Amino acid sequence: VSQSRYTGGDKRGDYAIDLQLARSDRADVAKSQYSTILGGFSNEITSASDYSKIGGGHSNKINSSTYATITGGYLNDIASGSNSAVIGGGLGNAVQKVLGTIAGGAENIVNGQYGSIIGGRTNTMSGDYGVLAGGRTNTASGQYSVLSGGQSNTAVIVIAINTSNFYNYITP
C-alpha cells in the first residue's frame, strides 16, 4: 500500500507496483495483478485491470480494463471493458470502449471502438474506427468518420470526412 496520511487501505494486486506518495481514499491503489502506478496522487487501478498503468497525475482511474494506460493528467477515466485504451493526459477525458485513444485535451469522450481523439475540448467520438483531430464541441458518430477539427461540427454517416471549421453537419 502506498505511503499516505490515510491509515489502512486496499491491498495491491499480485506483482503490482504503486509509488504514489499520497492518496485521499483507501481505494486509491494499484489493485490488479501486474498493474503499475508510478506516481501522482489519488490514482486508482481497479481489480480486473491486469497489466494496466498510470504514470502519474491526480485522480485518474482505470476500471476493469486490461492493458490500459493513462500517462498523467487530472480526472481522466478509462471505463470497464475498455481493454488496451490509452489516455495521454489532459483533464476529465474518458475512454469507454476497447482500444479507444485520447492523446490529450479536456472533457473529451471516446465511446466508439478503436476511436481516437487527438485533442481539443468537449469532443465526442462515438463512431467505431473514427478519428477526431481536435477543436471544440465536435461529434463524430459515423463509423470510420474523420473530423479535422473546428467547432460544433458533426459527422453521422459511415465514412464521413469533414475538413471545415464551424457548424457543419454531415448526414445521409
Side-chain angles (χ1 to χ4, degrees):
V1 177
S2 62
Q3 299 174 2
S4 175
R5 295 175 300 233
Y6 191 92
T7 58
D10 293 349
K11 180 183 176 292
R12 275 188 298 212
D14 293 338
Y15 309 106
I17 297 170
D18 190 332
L19 302 177
Q20 296 181 92
L21 296 178
R23 61 188 175 151
S24 60
D25 188 274
R26 68 181 301 126
D28 297 337
V29 176
K31 290 193 236 8
S32 198
Q33 62 182 355
Y34 302 102
S35 61
T36 304
I37 299 176
L38 292 176
F41 174 74
S42 292
N43 295 305
E44 179 182 0
I45 299 175
T46 67
S47 58
S49 297
D50 297 352
Y51 304 99
S52 292
K53 312 283 183 262
I54 295 177
H58 187 292
S59 300
N60 296 304
K61 186 173 183 179
I62 297 174
N63 300 281
S64 301
S65 296
T66 58
Y67 299 100
T69 302
I70 298 174
T71 57
Y74 178 59
L75 289 173
N76 294 305
D77 184 83
I78 294 178
S80 295
S82 300
N83 299 329
S84 300
V86 175
I87 297 177
L91 166 66
N93 294 305
V95 174
Q96 301 169 340
K97 295 288 182 173
V98 172
L99 284 159
T101 301
I102 298 175
E107 302 168 338
N108 295 305
I109 298 171
V110 170
N111 193 19
Q113 294 183 83
Y114 305 91
S116 296
I117 295 176
I118 296 171
R121 183 171 183 206
T122 60
N123 294 304
T124 302
M125 169 52 69
S126 57
D128 294 343
Y129 309 101
V131 176
L132 205 156
R136 185 172 183 179
T137 321
N138 295 301
T139 301
S141 58
Q143 193 174 28
Y144 303 104
S145 53
V146 176
L147 277 172
S148 62
Q151 181 176 344
S152 302
N153 295 301
T154 302
V156 296
I157 62 173
V158 174
I159 311 179
I161 298 174
N162 182 350
T163 59
S164 297
N165 292 324
F166 298 100
Y167 301 100
N168 294 291
Y169 190 81
I170 299 172
T171 186

